[in-house]
Amino acid sequence: MSAPYDAVDVISIKRDGGVLGDAQIDWVVDAYTRGVVADEQMAALAMAIVLNGMVPAEVAHWTAAMIASGEQMSFAELSRPTADKHSTGGVGDKITLPLAPLVAACGVAVPQLSGRGLGHTGGTLDKLESIAGWRASLTNAELMAQLEDVGAVICAAGAGLAPADKKLYALRDVTGTVESIPLIASSIMSKKIAEGTRALVLDVKVGSGAFMKDVDSARELAETMVALGTDAGVHTVALLTDMSTPLGRTAGNALEVREAVEVLAGGGPADVVELTLALAREMLAGAGVHGVDPAERLADGSAMDVWRAMITAQGGDPDASLPIARETQSVVADSEGVLTRLDALSVGVAAWRLGAGRARQGDPVQAGAGVELHAKQGEAVRAGQPLLTMHTDEPERFDRALTALDGGWSVEPGGAVDQQSPVVIQRIT
Amino acid sequence: MSAPYDAVDVISIKRDGGVLGDAQIDWVVDAYTRGVVADEQMAALAMAIVLNGMVPAEVAHWTAAMIASGEQMSFAELSRPTADKHSTGGVGDKITLPLAPLVAACGVAVPQLSGRGLGHTGGTLDKLESIAGWRASLTNAELMAQLEDVGAVICAAGAGLAPADKKLYALRDVTGTVESIPLIASSIMSKKIAEGTRALVLDVKVGSGAFMKDVDSARELAETMVALGTDAGVHTVALLTDMSTPLGRTAGNALEVREAVEVLAGGGPADVVELTLALAREMLAGAGVHGVDPAERLADGSAMDVWRAMITAQGGDPDASLPIARETQSVVADSEGVLTRLDALSVGVAAWRLGAGRARQGDPVQAGAGVELHAKQGEAVRAGQPLLTMHTDEPERFDRALTALDGGWSVEPGGAVDQQSPVVIQRIT
């Protein structure tokens, strides 16, 4: 393609608050992917987008241009319908682990192309890699075969999907241009649409531990993504879900796998079960499968069967012992009362500092590190009772984790035990 | 210096509309100059500055940080006071050529470190290089010796002055981040303050041919620069001057040298003489020299003597014939009336397209190319009278130059001959 546009002209339109045309977006995304538009030019354009926004038609075309930058997959040849889920990331968010086998057990294939964690939110692949032998990378042929045979796959997204997004995401990470609903929505949706799923459920987190701190911005992001998916022919629904306090009772890698297995065994924390079932019902509905109750598939062990087959198919041993951190240290309540607040961000940063997360792409993570919660927000605690236990292989990490936790919870003496507030805040279609 | 700050944190502050602290500015400017902060990070920061601005204290410190990135000169050892002039650039703006020798003839040394042209505005060095033998590059020792002996130097700015600005200017040029008063003002003033002049007069152009199209933004730029200079101990005055129509009767390189020599010989167009004298008076006052009338130094030939000495000192032959373009083509008035409008930008772009200017740094320019005006705005013209003549070595350039001129002038049949409007619009101290 020749260069019908000049990068400075395109940047200047957005800088001055204008609307980019389809051909301009096609050109700049393609030219950036090919290295014709330089990183510094895309960084200036990204900052102009952060500050001046994009109208819906621009976001839609930007997403389409990123999809067009790479390959597009199709699951049309599978014997079952497909459904996919994306979470915007939270603390203790292990939902993908029980959800994918559960939905597969209900007759819908789940191709869950996932990522690694960065910062205080964990990554699904990091969690699964705490299982001995499990591998994240599959060829497209292996992915298809496993989807047909097992029904569920959680694996790394191939480099071929939306390479423009991959390059742009790395650039935004170092240029302070992550915080933009058009850029976040197009980044997520370009990969999901390119992946070729028929139905998609978005779990948009709201609260201190989430990227979106308030309901209004989370709703705007959700509505933007639902519109992008719907326009692209993907049946898309979003749930706004609470991330002011951690999901479940663990934040870490092996710690969360253990909790996910508890859910698949019919137990597990109520909030994790609630959200897993809510998302499963949306995925089944989106895939056109009705009359199946996912709660029964948890109870009858069929979801666990798919989990075991899914882990085994990717080289993992579902019966292997999970790694345990070498050192633990607990934090106790110094008074009796109700745990009225347990902050998601504080716990997430503590888990990260204990070694469960990474600061930069490519850094290693500890399989056993993380935070185990002995009390959830709204529960009664006694003086001297352990509130949480920190896990790490490197005890010198405890101090910085404690600093992150400082001020992260409140125990109120006269407080009444609260009913746990619902995880799902709003459904957006 | 270690890295006390993170580039993303600094970018995010400005993205979110905050004010950067002195230490953050010091760090980011120094780290960018050393390559620790990457081009894409500075591009994102520059766009955030374009869109969210800077408070005066930030602009002042940003300027100081750019000065600190390189060497600082001093003219304190000269036997005469110094004064310098900076123009923000216009069409036909050859004022530096007669001005520097004129002010020197009045007893004030003029170290005029100049640049080359880019786009539709010409560069002083490009103009002087049409004089056979003349060289733009001087060592600091040569510059000092010539200032002492001749009193006037027009030469290229060394790479040692404000290298941060040099790097940032090139980045802004390709990232659509030129249009920012804080960034423009700090770029200009960092070089001028580092140069070490005692007095500075700023010629801030307003109108179609100028960077600033309206008086309000030009005034804001002028006030910002005057404040920066004053704070740094430089006696600084700005004149807002009209650039809605070209200065003088020529736009080009050798064509403008010829006109400058006419002014030095006591003739030349009234507007060029007016602006040269206005700027000379400001420079003399700023340098503390009173009681000298520069108009007399034009009339008595002493300014011309300094011009000849200045050109000779830099290897040029003041008596050499100036280059003449191989081809010319004239445009005639098709009706009788008054030339009520002759647009500066149209003439500037035409001269550029004829070969007088360059699109990219390092491109060659034609010495003889440009536009010669036979009528000025406000003058009466007859049907069939030549309005202007285009000059170029490459006749295939005429068509694109004519396109630029199309619509660039108006002849009104019943119009009365206007008094020429004053060049100087406002004085800002």
Side-chain angles (χ1 to χ4, degrees), chain A residues 6-8 11-12 14-16 39-41 43-45 47-48 50-52 171 173-179, chain B residues 7-8 11-12 14-16 39-41 43-45 47-48 50-52 171 173-179 360:
Chain A
D6 178 74
V8 173
I11 296 165
S12 301
K14 186 46 67 184
R15 178 197 68 205
D16 298 341
D39 277 340
E40 56 268 29
Q41 294 175 316
L45 178 57
M47 183 58 82
V50 168
L51 292 173
N52 285 337
L171 180 76
D173 191 43
V174 298
T175 56
T177 52
V178 171
E179 286 81 353
Chain B
V8 172
I11 296 165
S12 301
K14 185 48 66 185
R15 177 197 67 203
D16 298 340
D39 277 341
E40 56 268 30
Q41 294 175 317
L45 179 58
M47 182 59 83
V50 168
L51 292 174
N52 285 337
L171 180 76
D173 190 44
V174 298
T175 56
T177 52
V178 172
E179 287 82 351
R360 291 165 190 273

Side-chain angles (χ1 to χ4, degrees), chain A residues 346-357:
Chain A
S346 303
V347 172
V349 172
W352 174 19
R353 290 184 176 175
L354 289 165

Side-chain angles (χ1 to χ4, degrees), chain A residues 210-242:
Chain A
F211 195 78
M212 294 290 155
K213 308 296 184 195
D214 63 276
V215 173
D216 286 346
S217 56
R219 188 182 294 117
E220 186 183 345
L221 174 61
E223 287 170 349
T224 304
M225 292 195 292
V226 168
L228 288 173
T230 305
D231 286 353
V234 179
H235 186 288
T236 310
V237 170
L239 299 183
L240 300 194
T241 70
D242 181 45

Side-chain angles (χ1 to χ4, degrees), chain B residues 78 80-83 100-101 103-105 107-111 143-153 306 309-310:
Chain B
L78 289 179
R80 308 187 243 200
T82 57
V103 172
V108 170
V110 182
L143 167 64
M144 288 296 179
Q146 185 173 332
L147 272 182
E148 188 64 50
D149 297 346
V150 178
V153 175
V306 177
M310 179 181 83

